[in-house]
Amino acid sequence: MVVKQETKSMTGNDAASYAALYAKPEVIAAYPITPQTTIVENLSRYVDAGILDAEFIIVESEHSALAACMGAAWSGVRTFTATSSQGLLYMAENVFWSGYGRLPIIMPVVNRCLAPGWNIWPDFQDSMAFRDAGWIQMYTKNNQEVFDTVLQSFKITEDKEIALPSMPCLDGFVISHTTGQVDLPDAEDAYEFVGPYDDPIIEIDVDNPWAFGPMTGPDLYAKNRRDLMAAMERAKKKIVSVHKEFDERFGRSYGNGLVEPYGDDEADLTLVTLGTIGDESQEAIDRLKAEGHNVNALRVRTFRPFPFEDIIEFAKKNHKLAVIDRAVSFGHEGPLRIEVEAVLKRFNVDTEITGQIMGIGGEDVSYSKIIDYAKKELKE
Amino acid sequence: MPVTQKDLMIKPKDALLKGHFACAGCGSALAFRHAIGSVADKAVLVVPASCASVYQGSGKGVSFNVPTVNTAFAASDAVASGISRALKKKGKDDLKVIVWGGDGSAADIGIATEIGACDRQENILHVMYSNNVYGNTGGQRSGDTMIGARTATTPDGNTTPRKMVPFILMANNARYVATASAAFLEDFVEKFQKALSMEGFKFIQIDISCPPNWRADSADSVKISRLGVQTGIWPLFEWDRETNTVVLSRPGKKYNEKENRKPITDWTKLQGRFRGITEAELKALEEDTERQWNFIRKFM
């Protein structure tokens, strides 16, 4: 039975901090960076007001923000931080350290482009730089999905079989600072869904001392990385099952949790997207269909682990994929297109594929622009 | 409580098991065994990239007999902050969170992290064991390298003064700051335990000999450290925020007076890193040493 929820209007960052509040992290580390800042500001207010019983560490850099969360994770407590853009880059070595170290940390990334020049608007260049860091990455399309995804992330990340940090991604400003509708469950119901973190993945124990991350020869090192690869595979199933459980309790779903198809199963053109462009594409699809075009869409919600099975299954039924990327691998294509194209080849699927890079540095990606692009691809 | 030679012989738990990878004559491993051994049942170690990340041993054969978290070079004090807060949250704040790292992290790459933890008054102790050089990577100059030292990146001799990390942390309101020497272990362990009895950010800088990088005979390890104190190169003191006073430590007290000091060359001549040191460099090294003492005296 779906629990009672209250419809509220709030920004995407508010939605992220509500989810964090409801999950009751015990250690939070915070460093300001636009457009993430209001997430940790909200949490500092909750802590000061006594609504959230957490240690709040006001660190001197993002490098230390993640490092403090890592210390908390090693100590066996639930932990949370958030960042954006240059802040994520400044954390870099700790992002890999915590991913490869299998530390259960939840860190929303409010996507913002990278300098130079100074620009606070969204693209995915920041989080895409960390797709190989061993973190789960889920891209959200609206404020509601931010709340839902952050809440789900705790349950996925803290599963002993998974033990991978999570980076729920939300487009800067388009979601983070834009007020939208969010159906909010009671704090108790949300917490009951996540559950307490009382059987930690790892915990410092003076009676049973271990060393974390000492010098490791090639054999053991390679085994650790292969374990990480296997955990990523398991994470796909876990994301689906947590998403399903969430749907049963709260009555909301996003495809199967890995990918969200939109429109008919078979079409002449399929828009493949990430993040808010996925939401805007749905509007574009509705309008294109009203004009008589046969189009559909597939929003990749989970980018790491990469749900290639679901993408292939959908691609097989369709004729042409048009991938919209909000990031570039300079010297190549957009990362989403590269990866989708690779799996088509790998599974001998002859569905045509093309792509377009849009929305870099916050360039507006309206449904009308998507419609123009789709029409161009339909003609070719 | 004064720590005696006898106390050092009693190890409630051996913190450094057989098979560690420390070089012969390593002052850091020596200091580790005695200091960490004195609190082995309560110690939680955080080790940045440093010699300690090597000499703890490898893979499943780690010889540190206490929980040990290895961190990125600049991350240790922030990781320790997270651990300390989490332990507090769990009601386990009787445990002692100790950063054990070298001068590369404490004086250079990790100094912002360290000052950050100090500024927040995190309940941790940072022990900076200093061989005044990046030891692991083959002996390059660090911010704590002494004037005149020949290192892999200053083959003609280092020209810049030491960073004097203890004073930086005093200025940033640390709870307790001390210096120590591996040649005077009773004094070091006493300061170590005293620091751990206090709440807040504590810092101890300990001089440890590094025979490979100092190009010295490992048999001279303790002797060189002792001469470091006796020549005035290594002032031994402690400073407490509550009194804002520097107290010179018993083994090094008399070297405040220049006339009691042995010539610096007694110390330099045992170390290949000072081979070829010029008169001008020696003079500059002496002046830098005096600069430290002058700073200390302001707080006495």
Side-chain angles (χ1 to χ4, degrees):
Chain A
M1 205 186 79
V2 174
V3 299
K4 176 174 73 68
Q5 288 168 88
E6 197 183 340
T7 302
K8 294 196 168 190
S9 63
M10 64 178 76
T11 66
N13 278 357
D14 290 343
S17 36
Y18 264 113
L21 167 70
Y22 289 174
K24 302 183 189 172
E26 290 168 281
V27 173
I28 299 165
Y31 189 82
I33 183 166
T34 306
Q36 169 281 126
T37 314
T38 54
I39 297 179
V40 293
E41 278 179 4
N42 284 340
L43 292 170
S44 73
R45 275 195 292 273
Y46 302 147
V47 171
D48 274 7
I51 308 167
L52 178 59
D53 180 18
E55 288 291 321
F56 194 83
I57 314 181
I58 305 167
V59 288
E60 77 295 340
S61 75
E62 285 95 351
H63 191 276
S64 289
L66 189 50
C69 289
M70 290 162 70
W74 271 309
S75 310
V77 306
R78 180 169 288 164
T79 184
F80 181 92
T81 187
T83 193
S84 291
S85 186
Q86 306 299 133
L88 180 60
L89 296 199
Y90 198 59
M91 286 177 177
E93 62 173 338
N94 287 332
V95 177
F96 281 83
W97 204 294
S98 44
Y100 294 178
R102 311 283 300 275
L103 293 174
I105 297 166
I106 306 299
M107 179 173 74
V109 168
V110 185
N111 290 110
R112 165 185 153 187
C113 62
L114 303 175
W118 283 121
N119 176 331
I120 53 173
W121 299 104
D123 68 30
F124 297 156
Q125 211 67 41
D126 53 359
S127 54
M128 280 295 163
F130 293 89
R131 62 186 169 163
D132 301 334
W135 285 61
I136 291 170
Q137 278 194 348
M138 297 169 91
Y139 290 79
T140 56
K141 66 174 181 181
N142 58 29
N143 301 19
Q144 181 71 63
E145 194 183 7
V146 170
F147 175 83
D148 298 350
T149 305
V150 172
L151 205 62
Q152 289 168 21
S153 293
F154 284 99
K155 214 171 161 70
I156 298 159
T157 281
E158 292 170 358
D159 185 291
K160 277 194 169 165
E161 291 296 304
I162 309 299
L164 294 167
S166 268
M167 192 185 286
C169 298
L170 49 148
D171 296 37
F173 292 99
V174 179
I175 295 182
S176 69
H177 286 64
T178 306
T179 299
Q181 183 178 310
V182 175
D183 289 344
L184 208 59
D186 286 346
E188 295 73 28
D189 287 329
Y191 183 70
E192 200 183 291
F193 171 74
V194 177
Y197 184 54
D198 52 7
D199 183 18
I201 289 162
I202 193 163
E203 188 176 9
I204 286 167
D205 180 0
V206 285
D207 298 324
N208 178 28
W210 41 256
F212 189 93
M215 284 198 300
T216 307
D219 290 352
L220 185 55
Y221 183 94
K223 182 193 172 296
N224 287 343
R225 295 302 172 269
R226 275 192 284 273
D227 288 350
L228 199 158
M229 288 161 78
M232 274 287 177
E233 274 308 302
R234 290 194 295 274
K236 286 184 198 171
K237 288 197 182 76
K238 186 70 188 176
I239 290 165
V240 170
S241 70
V242 167
H243 176 263
K244 187 162 177 279
E245 197 186 326
F246 183 91
D247 186 16
E248 283 160 6
R249 191 181 286 245
F250 301 105
R252 276 188 302 279
S253 63
Y254 306 92
N256 66 352
L258 298 169
V259 296
E260 185 186 37
Y262 188 76
D264 304 326
D265 266 3
E266 192 187 332
D268 297 329
L269 184 75
T270 302
L271 296 172
V272 183
T273 61
L274 285 170
T276 55
I277 294 180
D279 206 29
E280 204 67 9
S281 293
Q282 295 182 356
E283 181 70 26
I285 297 295
D286 291 347
R287 289 173 184 255
L288 284 161
K289 283 179 78 173
E291 291 178 27
H293 297 290
N294 185 15
V295 287
N296 62 10
L298 185 71
R299 182 172 66 92
V300 178
R301 178 179 186 243
T302 304
F303 187 70
R304 282 293 179 275
F306 195 61
F308 62 86
E309 299 94 336
D310 304 80
I311 292 169
I312 285 301
E313 199 190 326
F314 197 79
K316 271 181 184 168
K317 294 179 285 191
N318 287 283
H319 304 284
K320 183 176 182 181
L321 309 183
V323 184
I324 303 178
D325 265 290
R326 196 162 206 163
V328 199
S329 178
F330 292 99
H332 204 354
E333 305 279 350
L336 182 60
R337 182 197 165 155
I338 293 169
E339 302 212 355
V340 173
E341 198 161 0
V343 294
L344 293 182
K345 175 77 180 163
R346 183 166 142 203
F347 292 92
N348 295 315
V349 179
D350 57 6
T351 306
E352 200 186 331
I353 181 163
T354 182
Q356 178 87 3
I357 287 155
M358 298 173 90
I360 297 296
E363 262 183 345
D364 193 26
V365 187
S366 60
Y367 63 80
S368 58
K369 281 190 186 167
I370 297 171
I371 288 170
D372 291 346
Y373 169 58
K375 281 182 176 168
K376 187 181 125 243
E377 293 296 354
L378 281 163
K379 262 187 227 147
E380 278 170 12
Chain B
M1 274 281 285
V3 174
T4 64
Q5 195 77 42
K6 198 176 149 212
D7 293 327
L8 292 179
M9 305 311 281
I10 301 165
K11 290 193 284 284
K13 185 173 163 186
D14 200 343
L16 188 63
L17 302 175
K18 284 177 185 167
H20 66 77
F21 291 179
C23 306
C26 174
S28 179
L30 179 69
F32 181 96
R33 163 162 283 146
H34 290 288
I36 306 298
S38 74
V39 289
D41 293 330
K42 298 252 178 243
V44 176
L45 279 190
V46 181
V47 178
S50 61
C51 284
S53 40
V54 176
Y55 72 67
Q56 69 185 257
S58 132
K60 291 174 180 169
V62 168
S63 59
F64 282 8
N65 198 16
V66 291
T68 304
V69 172
N70 290 284
T71 78
F73 219 164
S76 54
D77 293 82
V79 169
S81 303
I83 292 173
S84 168
R85 300 290 194 101
L87 293 175
K88 182 180 168 202
K89 196 78 181 54
K90 295 185 107 161
K92 291 185 183 174
D93 34 12
D94 58 320
L95 300 185
K96 309 295 183 190
V97 184
I98 301 157
V99 177
W100 188 269
D103 49 302
S105 57
D108 287 347
I109 194 170
I111 199 164
T113 321
E114 190 175 288
I115 293 173
C118 179
D119 167 48
R120 295 189 300 272
Q121 294 300 315
E122 300 289 356
N123 191 23
I124 59 181
L125 166 62
H126 187 129
V127 177
M128 164 186 171
Y129 60 84
S130 181
N131 56 355
N132 339 117
V133 77
Y134 286 91
N136 252 336
T137 44
Q140 296 79 19
R141 179 205 173 267
S142 83
D144 203 36
T145 296
M146 290 170 186
I147 288 176
R150 273 67 179 150
T151 74
T153 46
T154 56
D156 290 337
N158 181 44
T159 54
T160 48
R162 299 175 62 197
K163 246 180 205 172
M164 302 189 182
V165 184
F167 306 139
I168 295 172
L169 294 161
M170 282 160 65
N172 281 280
N173 213 23
R175 175 66 185 83
Y176 174 82
V177 172
T179 61
S181 163
F184 299 95
L185 286 171
E186 301 93 325
D187 177 65
F188 170 50
V189 174
E190 199 175 311
K191 287 166 175 168
F192 180 82
Q193 291 184 343
K194 186 173 182 180
L196 288 178
S197 72
M198 297 173 175
E199 282 279 318
F201 185 90
K202 292 85 58 178
F203 180 85
I204 300 175
Q205 175 180 280
I206 176 166
D207 167 45
I208 53 105
S209 289
C210 179
N213 284 299
W214 292 5
R215 297 188 286 285
D217 190 334
S218 56
D220 286 339
S221 174
V222 174
K223 187 179 175 188
I224 295 170
S225 275
R226 190 181 300 120
L227 280 167
V229 173
Q230 292 169 339
T231 53
I233 285 277
W234 274 94
L236 294 182
F237 68 88
E238 45 186 341
W239 172 89
D240 187 323
R241 184 178 68 206
E242 291 191 349
T243 53
N244 191 26
T245 301
V246 161
V247 177
L248 296 179
S249 312
R250 196 179 43 82
K253 207 170 184 170
K254 67 178 185 184
Y255 306 108
N256 184 22
E257 281 87 42
K258 255 183 160 175
E259 60 272 21
N260 293 335
R261 294 183 202 161
K262 293 189 174 176
I264 282 188
T265 45
D266 283 10
W267 176 75
T268 53
K269 72 183 179 197
L270 292 173
Q271 306 170 55
R273 63 172 169 158
F274 291 111
R275 193 164 300 141
I277 191 168
T278 62
E279 283 302 318
E281 283 175 318
L282 265 176
K283 189 165 171 284
L285 179 58
E286 275 177 26
E287 279 167 10
D288 194 42
T289 302
E290 211 41 40
R291 181 172 72 100
Q292 277 194 78
W293 281 101
N294 285 335
F295 199 95
I296 294 165
R297 287 179 193 123
K298 291 191 173 94
F299 290 87
M300 279 166 57

